[in-house]
Amino acid sequence: MKRQPHTAQHKWILALAIACIILTLSLLFLITLTSASTILLLPLQRYAAATSKVQSEPVTPPPPPPPRLAYLISGSKGDHKMLRRTLLALYHPYNQYVVHLDAESSPEERLDLFNFVKNCSTFVQFGNVRMITKANLVTYRGSTMVANTLHAAAVLLRDAGEWDWFINLSASDYPLVTQDDLLDAFSDLPRDLNFIEHTSKLGWKREHRAKPVMVDPGLYMTKKSDVFFTTERRGVPTAFKLFTGSAWMALSRPFINYCIWGWDNLPRTILMYYTNFVSSPESYFQTVICNAPEFSNTTVNTDMHFIPWDNPPQQHPKHITVDDMREMVASNAPFARKFHKDDPVLDKIDSELLFRGQDMIVPGGWCLGSQKNGADPCSVAGNITHFLPTPGAKRLKTLIGYLLSDNKFRPRQCK
């Protein structure tokens, strides 16, 4: 009877010890299981983290395609053969072209140009040359020249697909670099730049162009005649500032869109003003771009031309001859004017700068044909975005670098 309490106490201690052992084993098991799970999941967690990191890194977009150029080449009576030559010297299948002979040219001249465009196998293959067959009447010094330029630009916007710069030239202009050179040089440029010579210092033009009121008969007549002046004069406008410069330019597609659509009405207002302005092609685009805040800081103050003048300057520039060849090349300009039809200097440009055979397209990286026995290498077309720049590209890049330098670019914008 005396050992019962001791036995009961012993049993209670034994039960407690067994319970502690079981609890300890259970805890050890859980710790082991948790550790094992952590070890097994760690590589998966690292993989998931690495995958997430790769997916979150920004993807570098592909480079933009090379720029495309859209040309207007215009001429008048007697210019159809020179226009054909200029077109061949400027042609590249990657670009777009509009050609126009005005209504003063004869039907035979316009038909000859039409047949040339229609029957050239390369033009047909790429479908990038258009002729304005319903000829516009264009008056020298008149607003019909601006209207013709806007017409061609509208055609190119509607029908010519994608392009980046609009360049207007005449049959009296000629390139000094190949199109491969030009496309290569323009490839690294912001595509909102506008190459347009301009100044607000009107000088003598204030009295002799801004204040007289001129009428262009080409706006309402079917026969070409010179502009005439009314007896009235007008003051300089206060709603916008007048600018003037060269009639030759390379304008960005966004700015051409603005000139055609005119969503804030400024281009139309200025166009109406310049309807009665002498030599409006030298002022209209300059005044629009410098009075539009979204475009005024995109101007590069140049017309991209070599143009020799008499001293003092006359109404028209001098015609370029072989004697001007060295100075012309040294200018690094991509275009020059004015040239007489079939002047020997054109043959010199073809052979030394463009490497163009007679009546052939200027060869480029896209031309895969044989040149044996005087054959046309561009009769066989390859990759039209493969450019083979000549030394002309280096000259042009030197000019562009100079124009975009700190002391030439911003300080000369719309001043």
Side-chain angles (χ1 to χ4, degrees):
M1 294 294 296
K2 290 181 180 180
R3 290 185 178 181
Q4 283 181 355
H6 177 76
T7 304
Q9 184 179 11
H10 178 75
K11 290 181 179 179
W12 179 83
I13 294 173
L14 182 62
L16 180 61
I18 293 172
C20 289
I21 293 171
I22 294 173
L23 180 61
T24 301
L25 292 174
S26 299
L27 289 173
L28 289 173
F29 176 75
L30 289 173
I31 291 171
T32 305
L33 181 62
T34 303
S35 300
S37 300
T38 303
I39 293 170
L40 289 172
L41 289 174
L42 186 58
L44 295 176
Q45 290 172 347
R46 288 175 178 171
Y47 173 80
T51 305
S52 175
K53 183 178 180 181
V54 170
Q55 291 177 346
S56 65
E57 290 180 353
V59 178
T60 303
R68 294 176 186 261
L69 307 177
Y71 284 95
L72 163 63
I73 311 171
S74 55
S76 188
K77 181 179 180 181
D79 287 339
H80 65 294
K81 290 184 179 179
M82 186 62 182
L83 197 154
R84 286 171 50 171
R85 179 171 186 162
T86 301
L87 174 60
L88 288 172
L90 289 167
Y91 183 79
H92 193 287
Y94 196 60
N95 293 334
Q96 297 290 330
Y97 301 84
V98 166
V99 294
H100 175 253
L101 281 175
D102 71 19
E104 188 183 26
S105 60
S106 68
E108 291 76 18
E109 289 176 311
R110 294 198 296 276
L111 181 61
D112 178 76
L113 180 61
F114 174 79
N115 288 331
F116 172 70
V117 171
K118 181 182 178 181
N119 296 324
C120 177
S121 59
T122 306
F123 298 171
V124 173
Q125 178 182 356
F126 293 100
N128 60 340
V129 181
R130 297 163 182 81
M131 179 177 175
I132 297 177
T133 54
K134 187 177 180 180
N136 297 313
L137 193 61
V138 178
T139 308
Y140 171 68
R141 299 194 301 165
S143 55
T144 44
M145 292 186 70
V146 174
N148 186 63
T149 302
L150 291 172
H151 179 199
V155 169
L156 288 163
L157 286 174
R158 185 191 66 184
D159 297 336
E162 295 299 322
W163 49 267
D164 300 285
W165 277 281
F166 170 80
I167 301 175
N168 66 322
L169 300 172
S170 76
S172 299
D173 290 84
Y174 213 67
L176 304 178
V177 297
T178 71
Q179 291 304 291
D180 277 21
D181 295 336
L182 199 57
L183 293 168
D184 178 69
F186 273 43
S187 292
D188 296 328
L189 295 179
R191 300 189 184 182
D192 62 345
L193 290 180
N194 290 277
F195 297 86
I196 178 169
E197 184 186 85
H198 59 281
T199 180
S200 63
K201 297 177 181 178
L202 301 184
W204 63 268
K205 294 181 181 180
R206 180 181 296 273
E207 293 296 325
H208 295 280
R209 291 190 178 180
K211 292 186 176 181
V213 178
M214 176 273 294
V215 178
D216 183 350
L219 294 172
Y220 59 90
M221 300 287 287
T222 58
K223 293 293 181 70
K224 188 171 182 176
S225 61
D226 196 8
V227 300
F228 64 87
F229 296 86
T230 70
T231 57
E232 299 294 326
R233 292 173 69 84
R234 60 183 177 181
V236 175
T238 57
F240 46 85
K241 188 176 182 179
L242 296 182
F243 287 79
T244 188
S246 171
W248 314 107
M249 56 204 77
L251 302 176
S252 68
R253 185 179 184 122
F255 179 63
I256 289 293
N257 256 317
Y258 177 68
C259 290
I260 299 299
W261 292 103
W263 46 84
D264 67 356
N265 208 37
L266 177 67
R268 280 185 288 271
T269 300
I270 295 178
L271 182 62
M272 293 177 69
Y273 170 78
Y274 275 105
T275 300
N276 305 112
F277 192 97
V278 184
S279 297
S280 54
E282 298 177 4
S283 299
Y284 169 71
F285 292 100
Q286 287 85 350
T287 300
V288 173
I289 201 167
C290 285
N291 284 275
E294 59 265 55
F295 295 105
S296 60
N297 64 347
T298 66
T299 58
V300 183
N301 204 331
T302 179
D303 62 6
M304 306 289 278
H305 272 69
F306 170 78
I307 306 177
W309 295 88
D310 290 309
N311 190 16
Q314 303 298 315
Q315 179 67 36
H316 300 284
K318 297 193 307 181
H319 281 89
I320 296 173
T321 67
V322 173
D323 294 336
D324 300 301
M325 188 73 181
R326 182 185 297 274
E327 184 182 1
M328 183 168 55
V329 174
S331 73
N332 295 329
F335 308 106
R337 73 183 319 269
K338 298 176 61 172
F339 294 93
H340 282 299
K341 181 175 61 176
D342 296 329
D343 191 283
V345 70
L346 295 173
D347 296 331
K348 194 171 180 65
I349 292 171
D350 280 343
S351 62
E352 296 183 10
L353 302 181
L354 304 181
F355 315 103
R356 186 180 85 94
Q358 186 175 4
D359 297 326
M360 295 182 186
I361 293 169
V362 174
W366 62 278
C367 301
L368 300 182
S370 172
Q371 300 187 51
K372 292 182 179 179
N373 301 320
D376 183 0
C378 300
S379 59
V380 180
N383 180 3
I384 63 174
T385 61
H386 176 52
F387 307 139
L388 286 178
T390 74
K394 183 178 180 180
R395 296 197 307 270
L396 181 53
K397 289 178 180 180
T398 299
L399 174 64
I400 293 173
Y402 169 77
L403 294 170
L404 295 180
S405 62
D406 291 340
N407 61 336
K408 292 295 179 182
F409 182 39
R410 295 299 181 195
R412 299 181 65 202
Q413 288 184 319
C414 295
K415 302 296 185 182

Short mmCIF file of all heavy atoms in Angstrom, two decimals, residues 200 202 206 210 234-243 265-275 277 283-284 286-292:
data_model
loop_
_atom_site.label_atom_id
_atom_site.label_comp_id
_atom_site.label_asym_id
_atom_site.label_seq_id
_atom_site.Cartn_x
_atom_site.Cartn_y
_atom_site.Cartn_z
N SER A 200 14.89 87.11 -92.59
CA SER A 200 13.85 88.13 -92.45
C SER A 200 14.35 89.50 -92.85
O SER A 200 13.59 90.48 -92.83
CB SER A 200 13.36 88.17 -90.99
OG SER A 200 14.43 88.56 -90.13
N LEU A 202 14.71 91.69 -95.43
CA LEU A 202 14.20 91.81 -96.79
C LEU A 202 14.99 92.78 -97.64
O LEU A 202 15.08 92.64 -98.86
CB LEU A 202 12.74 92.24 -96.76
CG LEU A 202 11.77 91.32 -96.01
CD1 LEU A 202 10.35 91.83 -96.16
CD2 LEU A 202 11.87 89.89 -96.51
N ARG A 206 11.66 94.59 -99.64
CA ARG A 206 10.51 95.16 -98.91
C ARG A 206 9.74 96.14 -99.82
O ARG A 206 8.51 96.11 -99.87
CB ARG A 206 10.99 95.86 -97.64
CG ARG A 206 9.88 96.48 -96.81
CD ARG A 206 10.47 97.16 -95.58
NE ARG A 206 11.11 96.19 -94.71
CZ ARG A 206 10.47 95.50 -93.76
NH1 ARG A 206 9.17 95.69 -93.56
NH2 ARG A 206 11.12 94.63 -93.01
N ALA A 210 7.39 93.18 -101.50
CA ALA A 210 6.34 93.06 -100.48
C ALA A 210 5.23 94.09 -100.67
O ALA A 210 4.05 93.78 -100.45
CB ALA A 210 6.95 93.19 -99.09
N ARG A 234 0.61 98.15 -100.80
CA ARG A 234 0.12 97.72 -99.50
C ARG A 234 1.24 97.74 -98.47
O ARG A 234 2.43 97.75 -98.83
CB ARG A 234 -0.47 96.31 -99.59
CG ARG A 234 0.52 95.25 -100.07
CD ARG A 234 -0.14 93.90 -100.22
NE ARG A 234 0.79 92.91 -100.76
CZ ARG A 234 0.46 91.65 -101.00
NH1 ARG A 234 -0.78 91.23 -100.76
NH2 ARG A 234 1.35 90.80 -101.48
N GLY A 235 0.85 97.72 -97.23
CA GLY A 235 1.83 97.70 -96.16
C GLY A 235 2.33 96.30 -95.87
O GLY A 235 1.77 95.31 -96.35
N VAL A 236 3.39 96.20 -95.10
CA VAL A 236 3.93 94.91 -94.69
C VAL A 236 2.98 94.31 -93.65
O VAL A 236 2.52 95.02 -92.74
CB VAL A 236 5.34 95.07 -94.12
CG1 VAL A 236 5.87 93.75 -93.58
CG2 VAL A 236 6.28 95.62 -95.18
N PRO A 237 2.65 93.04 -93.73
CA PRO A 237 1.69 92.44 -92.80
C PRO A 237 2.18 92.47 -91.35
O PRO A 237 3.38 92.44 -91.09
CB PRO A 237 1.53 91.01 -93.31
CG PRO A 237 2.76 90.74 -94.12
CD PRO A 237 3.14 92.05 -94.71
N THR A 238 1.21 92.52 -90.44
CA THR A 238 1.53 92.47 -89.01
C THR A 238 1.08 91.14 -88.38
O THR A 238 1.48 90.83 -87.26
CB THR A 238 0.85 93.62 -88.27
OG1 THR A 238 -0.57 93.56 -88.50
CG2 THR A 238 1.37 94.97 -88.77
N ALA A 239 0.26 90.37 -89.08
CA ALA A 239 -0.22 89.10 -88.55
C ALA A 239 0.85 88.02 -88.59
O ALA A 239 0.78 87.03 -87.86
CB ALA A 239 -1.46 88.62 -89.31
N PHE A 240 1.84 88.19 -89.45
CA PHE A 240 2.95 87.25 -89.55
C PHE A 240 4.17 88.00 -90.07
O PHE A 240 4.05 89.08 -90.67
CB PHE A 240 2.64 86.05 -90.45
CG PHE A 240 1.99 86.42 -91.76
CD1 PHE A 240 2.75 86.80 -92.86
CD2 PHE A 240 0.61 86.40 -91.89
CE1 PHE A 240 2.16 87.14 -94.05
CE2 PHE A 240 0.00 86.74 -93.09
CZ PHE A 240 0.77 87.11 -94.17
N LYS A 241 5.34 87.43 -89.85
CA LYS A 241 6.60 88.06 -90.24
C LYS A 241 7.04 87.51 -91.58
O LYS A 241 6.97 86.29 -91.82
CB LYS A 241 7.67 87.79 -89.17
CG LYS A 241 8.97 88.55 -89.37
CD LYS A 241 9.90 88.28 -88.19
CE LYS A 241 11.21 89.06 -88.32
NZ LYS A 241 12.11 88.80 -87.15
N LEU A 242 7.50 88.38 -92.47
CA LEU A 242 7.91 87.95 -93.80
C LEU A 242 9.35 87.44 -93.80
O LEU A 242 10.23 88.02 -93.14
CB LEU A 242 7.79 89.11 -94.80
CG LEU A 242 6.39 89.66 -95.05
CD1 LEU A 242 6.46 90.76 -96.10
CD2 LEU A 242 5.44 88.56 -95.50
N PHE A 243 9.56 86.37 -94.56
CA PHE A 243 10.91 85.81 -94.76
C PHE A 243 11.11 85.59 -96.25
O PHE A 243 10.14 85.43 -97.01
CB PHE A 243 11.08 84.49 -94.01
CG PHE A 243 11.20 84.65 -92.52
CD1 PHE A 243 10.08 84.86 -91.73
CD2 PHE A 243 12.45 84.59 -91.91
CE1 PHE A 243 10.19 85.01 -90.35
CE2 PHE A 243 12.58 84.75 -90.54
CZ PHE A 243 11.44 84.96 -89.76
N ASN A 265 -4.70 76.77 -90.34
CA ASN A 265 -5.06 77.76 -91.37
C ASN A 265 -3.92 78.72 -91.73
O ASN A 265 -4.08 79.51 -92.66
CB ASN A 265 -6.29 78.57 -90.95
CG ASN A 265 -7.07 79.06 -92.16
OD1 ASN A 265 -7.19 78.35 -93.15
ND2 ASN A 265 -7.59 80.28 -92.09
N LEU A 266 -2.80 78.66 -91.03
CA LEU A 266 -1.70 79.58 -91.36
C LEU A 266 -1.19 79.39 -92.79
O LEU A 266 -1.03 80.38 -93.52
CB LEU A 266 -0.56 79.41 -90.36
CG LEU A 266 0.69 80.26 -90.63
CD1 LEU A 266 0.37 81.74 -90.44
CD2 LEU A 266 1.84 79.84 -89.72
N PRO A 267 -0.94 78.14 -93.26
CA PRO A 267 -0.46 78.00 -94.64
C PRO A 267 -1.41 78.58 -95.67
O PRO A 267 -0.97 79.18 -96.66
CB PRO A 267 -0.30 76.48 -94.80
CG PRO A 267 -0.12 75.97 -93.43
CD PRO A 267 -0.97 76.84 -92.56
N ARG A 268 -2.73 78.42 -95.48
CA ARG A 268 -3.69 78.96 -96.44
C ARG A 268 -3.72 80.49 -96.39
O ARG A 268 -3.81 81.16 -97.43
CB ARG A 268 -5.08 78.39 -96.17
CG ARG A 268 -5.28 76.99 -96.74
CD ARG A 268 -6.70 76.53 -96.55
NE ARG A 268 -6.99 76.23 -95.15
CZ ARG A 268 -6.80 75.04 -94.59
NH1 ARG A 268 -6.32 74.05 -95.31
NH2 ARG A 268 -7.09 74.83 -93.31
N THR A 269 -3.66 81.04 -95.18
CA THR A 269 -3.66 82.50 -95.05
C THR A 269 -2.45 83.12 -95.75
O THR A 269 -2.58 84.09 -96.50
CB THR A 269 -3.66 82.90 -93.56
OG1 THR A 269 -4.83 82.38 -92.93
CG2 THR A 269 -3.63 84.41 -93.39
N ILE A 270 -1.29 82.52 -95.51
CA ILE A 270 -0.07 83.05 -96.13
C ILE A 270 -0.09 82.82 -97.64
O ILE A 270 0.39 83.66 -98.41
CB ILE A 270 1.17 82.41 -95.46
CG1 ILE A 270 1.25 82.86 -93.99
CG2 ILE A 270 2.45 82.77 -96.20
CD1 ILE A 270 2.40 82.26 -93.21
N LEU A 271 -0.66 81.70 -98.08
CA LEU A 271 -0.77 81.44 -99.53
C LEU A 271 -1.62 82.52 -100.20
O LEU A 271 -1.29 82.99 -101.30
CB LEU A 271 -1.37 80.06 -99.76
CG LEU A 271 -1.51 79.63 -101.23
CD1 LEU A 271 -0.15 79.56 -101.92
CD2 LEU A 271 -2.22 78.28 -101.33
N MET A 272 -2.71 82.91 -99.57
CA MET A 272 -3.56 83.97 -100.14
C MET A 272 -2.79 85.29 -100.21
O MET A 272 -2.92 86.04 -101.19
CB MET A 272 -4.83 84.11 -99.31
CG MET A 272 -5.75 82.90 -99.38
SD MET A 272 -7.20 83.03 -98.32
CE MET A 272 -8.11 84.32 -99.17
N TYR A 273 -2.01 85.58 -99.18
CA TYR A 273 -1.21 86.81 -99.21
C TYR A 273 -0.21 86.78 -100.36
O TYR A 273 -0.04 87.76 -101.10
CB TYR A 273 -0.48 87.01 -97.88
CG TYR A 273 0.53 88.13 -97.92
CD1 TYR A 273 0.14 89.46 -97.84
CD2 TYR A 273 1.89 87.84 -98.08
CE1 TYR A 273 1.08 90.49 -97.90
CE2 TYR A 273 2.83 88.86 -98.14
CZ TYR A 273 2.42 90.18 -98.06
OH TYR A 273 3.34 91.19 -98.13
N TYR A 274 0.47 85.64 -100.54
CA TYR A 274 1.52 85.55 -101.56
C TYR A 274 0.98 85.40 -102.97
O TYR A 274 1.76 85.39 -103.93
CB TYR A 274 2.49 84.41 -101.22
CG TYR A 274 3.56 84.84 -100.26
CD1 TYR A 274 3.53 84.45 -98.93
CD2 TYR A 274 4.60 85.66 -100.68
CE1 TYR A 274 4.52 84.86 -98.04
CE2 TYR A 274 5.59 86.08 -99.80
CZ TYR A 274 5.54 85.68 -98.48
OH TYR A 274 6.51 86.10 -97.61
N THR A 275 -0.33 85.30 -103.12
CA THR A 275 -0.91 85.29 -104.46
C THR A 275 -0.54 86.56 -105.22
O THR A 275 -0.40 86.54 -106.45
CB THR A 275 -2.45 85.16 -104.38
OG1 THR A 275 -2.77 83.95 -103.71
CG2 THR A 275 -3.08 85.15 -105.76
N PHE A 277 2.24 88.56 -104.56
CA PHE A 277 3.60 88.89 -104.15
C PHE A 277 4.56 88.54 -105.28
O PHE A 277 4.47 87.46 -105.88
CB PHE A 277 3.96 88.11 -102.89
CG PHE A 277 5.21 88.55 -102.19
CD1 PHE A 277 5.15 89.42 -101.12
CD2 PHE A 277 6.45 88.08 -102.59
CE1 PHE A 277 6.30 89.82 -100.45
CE2 PHE A 277 7.61 88.47 -101.95
CZ PHE A 277 7.54 89.35 -100.87
N SER A 283 9.68 83.03 -101.16
CA SER A 283 9.25 83.55 -99.85
C SER A 283 8.16 82.74 -99.17
O SER A 283 8.08 82.74 -97.94
CB SER A 283 8.76 85.00 -100.01
OG SER A 283 9.77 85.85 -100.47
N TYR A 284 7.32 82.07 -99.94
CA TYR A 284 6.13 81.44 -99.34
C TYR A 284 6.52 80.40 -98.29
O TYR A 284 6.09 80.49 -97.13
CB TYR A 284 5.26 80.78 -100.41
CG TYR A 284 4.18 79.90 -99.82
CD1 TYR A 284 3.09 80.47 -99.15
CD2 TYR A 284 4.26 78.51 -99.88
CE1 TYR A 284 2.11 79.66 -98.58
CE2 TYR A 284 3.29 77.71 -99.31
CZ TYR A 284 2.23 78.30 -98.67
OH TYR A 284 1.27 77.50 -98.07
N GLN A 286 9.32 79.85 -96.81
CA GLN A 286 10.11 80.44 -95.74
C GLN A 286 9.21 81.12 -94.70
O GLN A 286 9.43 80.98 -93.48
CB GLN A 286 11.08 81.47 -96.32
CG GLN A 286 12.26 80.88 -97.07
CD GLN A 286 11.96 80.55 -98.53
OE1 GLN A 286 10.81 80.59 -98.97
NE2 GLN A 286 12.99 80.23 -99.28
N THR A 287 8.21 81.85 -95.18
CA THR A 287 7.32 82.56 -94.25
C THR A 287 6.45 81.60 -93.47
O THR A 287 6.22 81.79 -92.26
CB THR A 287 6.46 83.57 -95.03
OG1 THR A 287 7.32 84.51 -95.69
CG2 THR A 287 5.51 84.33 -94.11
N VAL A 288 5.98 80.55 -94.12
CA VAL A 288 5.16 79.56 -93.40
C VAL A 288 5.98 78.89 -92.30
O VAL A 288 5.56 78.83 -91.14
CB VAL A 288 4.58 78.51 -94.37
CG1 VAL A 288 3.89 77.38 -93.59
CG2 VAL A 288 3.60 79.13 -95.34
N ILE A 289 7.15 78.38 -92.64
CA ILE A 289 7.89 77.58 -91.67
C ILE A 289 8.39 78.41 -90.50
O ILE A 289 8.43 77.93 -89.36
CB ILE A 289 9.06 76.84 -92.37
CG1 ILE A 289 9.51 75.64 -91.53
CG2 ILE A 289 10.24 77.77 -92.64
CD1 ILE A 289 10.43 74.68 -92.27
N CYS A 290 8.74 79.67 -90.74
CA CYS A 290 9.28 80.49 -89.66
C CYS A 290 8.19 81.12 -88.79
O CYS A 290 8.50 81.65 -87.72
CB CYS A 290 10.19 81.57 -90.22
SG CYS A 290 11.80 80.93 -90.76
N ASN A 291 6.94 81.06 -89.23
CA ASN A 291 5.83 81.55 -88.41
C ASN A 291 5.06 80.42 -87.74
O ASN A 291 4.07 80.68 -87.04
CB ASN A 291 4.88 82.40 -89.25
CG ASN A 291 5.44 83.79 -89.53
OD1 ASN A 291 5.29 84.71 -88.73
ND2 ASN A 291 6.10 83.94 -90.67
N ALA A 292 5.48 79.17 -87.96
CA ALA A 292 4.85 78.00 -87.34
C ALA A 292 5.75 77.50 -86.23
O ALA A 292 6.83 76.95 -86.51
CB ALA A 292 4.60 76.91 -88.37
#
